[in-house]
Amino acid sequence: MFERFSSGYYLGELYVEPHDGDRAVIQRADHEHVNEQLYADGEGVERLDAPLVMKLGQGHIPVSGDDGVPSGTLAIPRSLASDDLPGKKNVLLADADRAERILRWEGWRPFVNA
């Protein structure tokens, strides 16, 4: 789905469409697969539900999983959609380190077992 593009990003092509939700989502199985393949380090129990961070156009958006989205589709809130949607788009996916930094800037904190 994604391949290495640069030191901080992977590149993929997704069908991008606006939706009425308040967050960006991809199919839950795709989300978990990408989390496992690109974000997990293989040590201990790891979360597979942490938001992915994708760059579409000029902005970064956190992306969650949702069972109601077809595989290979990124559904974004209408408020973020451009006039040329729906359609196939190149999408950048931040690698684990970059994604964590971006999410922390936005105030997201990972769940920690105590």
Side-chain angles (χ1 to χ4, degrees), residues 8-109:
Y9 290 96
Y10 296 87
L11 177 65
E13 184 178 68
L14 295 173
Y15 184 78
V16 181
E17 65 183 17
H19 77 123
D20 292 327
D22 61 352
R23 60 192 170 102
V25 291
I26 62 172
Q27 208 284 325
R28 187 176 315 279
D30 291 347
H31 184 274
E32 290 176 0
H33 176 74
V34 171
N35 247 299
E36 183 176 35
Q37 295 296 312
L38 303 180
Y39 286 10
D41 63 13
E43 296 180 15
V45 176
E46 298 179 301
R47 294 187 67 177
L48 297 180
D49 63 342
L52 303 173
V53 175
M54 294 187 183
K55 185 173 182 183
L56 183 64
Q58 298 300 314
H60 289 89
I61 52 176
V63 179
S64 301
D66 188 300
D67 289 327
V69 179
S71 182
T73 299
L74 171 62
I76 62 172
R78 289 192 190 284
S79 62
L80 300 176
S82 58
D83 292 337
D84 62 347
L85 295 179
K88 286 260 187 192
K89 299 288 180 190
N90 286 330
V91 176
L92 292 172
L93 171 67
D95 69 11
D97 292 336
R98 184 162 301 209
E100 183 179 359
R101 285 193 307 269
I102 291 168
L103 289 170
R104 287 191 186 276
W105 288 336
E106 297 295 323
W108 185 83
R109 297 289 183 254

